[in-house]
Amino acid sequence: TTVRGAASTAGKLQVLIADDHPDVVLLLRKVVERYLPEAVIHEAVNGVDTCIAVGTLKPHIMLLDIMMPGMDGFAVLQELLR
Protein backbone atom coordinates (compact mmCIF):
# COMPACT_ATOMS: atom_id res chain seq x y z
CA THR A 1 0.00 0.00 0.00
CA THR A 2 1.37 3.39 -0.99
CA VAL A 3 0.42 6.36 1.11
CA ARG A 4 0.52 9.94 -0.14
CA GLY A 5 0.01 12.73 2.30
CA ALA A 6 1.11 14.53 5.40
CA ALA A 7 2.57 12.94 8.49
CA SER A 8 -0.74 12.78 10.34
CA THR A 9 -3.73 11.11 8.72
CA ALA A 10 -5.99 11.22 11.79
CA GLY A 11 -9.36 12.72 11.02
CA LYS A 12 -8.70 12.97 7.29
CA LEU A 13 -10.72 11.33 4.57
CA GLN A 14 -9.06 8.03 3.62
CA VAL A 15 -9.40 6.88 -0.02
CA LEU A 16 -8.22 3.48 -1.27
CA ILE A 17 -7.62 3.01 -5.00
CA ALA A 18 -7.45 -0.69 -5.85
CA ASP A 19 -6.38 -1.31 -9.45
CA ASP A 20 -3.58 -3.20 -11.20
CA HIS A 21 -3.24 -0.75 -14.11
CA PRO A 22 -0.88 2.15 -13.29
CA ASP A 23 -2.54 4.47 -15.83
CA VAL A 24 -5.96 3.94 -14.23
CA VAL A 25 -4.52 4.49 -10.75
CA LEU A 26 -2.92 7.74 -11.94
CA LEU A 27 -6.20 8.93 -13.48
CA LEU A 28 -8.23 8.07 -10.38
CA ARG A 29 -5.60 9.69 -8.14
CA LYS A 30 -5.84 12.93 -10.16
CA VAL A 31 -9.65 12.93 -9.91
CA VAL A 32 -9.55 12.35 -6.14
CA GLU A 33 -6.88 15.02 -5.68
CA ARG A 34 -8.97 17.49 -7.71
CA TYR A 35 -12.26 16.94 -5.89
CA LEU A 36 -11.02 15.84 -2.47
CA PRO A 37 -7.74 17.75 -2.03
CA GLU A 38 -7.50 17.02 1.71
CA ALA A 39 -7.91 13.24 1.27
CA VAL A 40 -5.12 10.80 2.02
CA ILE A 41 -4.84 8.41 -0.93
CA HIS A 42 -3.75 4.79 -0.55
CA GLU A 43 -3.16 2.27 -3.35
CA ALA A 44 -3.42 -1.50 -3.70
CA VAL A 45 -2.49 -3.42 -6.86
CA ASN A 46 -4.27 -6.74 -6.28
CA GLY A 47 -7.14 -8.27 -4.35
CA VAL A 48 -5.10 -9.62 -1.46
CA ASP A 49 -3.40 -6.27 -0.87
CA THR A 50 -6.82 -4.60 -1.08
CA CYS A 51 -8.25 -6.82 1.67
CA ILE A 52 -5.23 -6.14 3.87
CA ALA A 53 -5.42 -2.39 3.21
CA VAL A 54 -9.14 -2.25 4.04
CA GLY A 55 -8.55 -4.13 7.30
CA THR A 56 -5.64 -1.88 8.25
CA LEU A 57 -6.71 1.51 6.95
CA LYS A 58 -10.52 1.35 7.22
CA PRO A 59 -10.90 3.73 4.23
CA HIS A 60 -13.95 5.94 3.90
CA ILE A 61 -14.00 5.47 0.11
CA MET A 62 -12.73 2.57 -2.00
CA LEU A 63 -12.42 2.67 -5.77
CA LEU A 64 -12.26 -1.04 -6.67
CA ASP A 65 -11.26 -2.61 -9.98
CA ILE A 66 -13.32 -5.68 -10.82
CA MET A 67 -10.63 -7.47 -12.85
CA MET A 68 -7.41 -7.81 -10.86
CA PRO A 69 -4.83 -10.61 -10.70
CA GLY A 70 -5.22 -13.34 -8.10
CA MET A 71 -8.40 -12.15 -6.42
CA ASP A 72 -10.84 -10.11 -8.50
CA GLY A 73 -13.02 -7.29 -7.20
CA PHE A 74 -16.02 -9.55 -6.66
CA ALA A 75 -13.94 -11.90 -4.50
CA VAL A 76 -12.62 -8.91 -2.56
CA LEU A 77 -16.17 -7.76 -1.81
CA GLN A 78 -17.19 -11.27 -0.75
CA GLU A 79 -14.19 -11.45 1.59
CA LEU A 80 -14.91 -8.03 3.07
CA LEU A 81 -18.54 -8.93 3.72
CA ARG A 82 -17.57 -11.97 5.84
Side-chain angles (χ1 to χ4, degrees):
T1 303
T2 302
V3 179
R4 175 201 68 72
S8 174
T9 61
K12 293 190 179 182
L13 185 68
Q14 305 289 316
V15 178
L16 175 61
I17 300 172
D19 200 301
D20 60 316
H21 293 96
D23 292 343
V24 174
V25 172
L26 181 62
L27 175 66
L28 292 173
R29 177 180 281 280
K30 295 229 180 260
V31 170
V32 171
E33 288 172 344
R34 167 97 160 110
Y35 292 100
L36 301 170
E38 298 300 317
V40 178
I41 302 171
H42 308 273
E43 299 174 10
V45 297
N46 60 50
V48 173
D49 286 349
T50 300
C51 289
I52 293 169
V54 168
T56 303
L57 302 168
K58 308 278 192 263
H60 299 99
I61 299 171
M62 178 172 61
L63 303 172
L64 178 62
D65 185 11
I66 296 302
M67 296 174 54
M68 292 188 291
M71 177 186 274
D72 66 21
F74 293 114
V76 168
L77 290 175
Q78 286 178 336
E79 183 64 30
L80 295 176
L81 291 173
R82 287 188 192 185

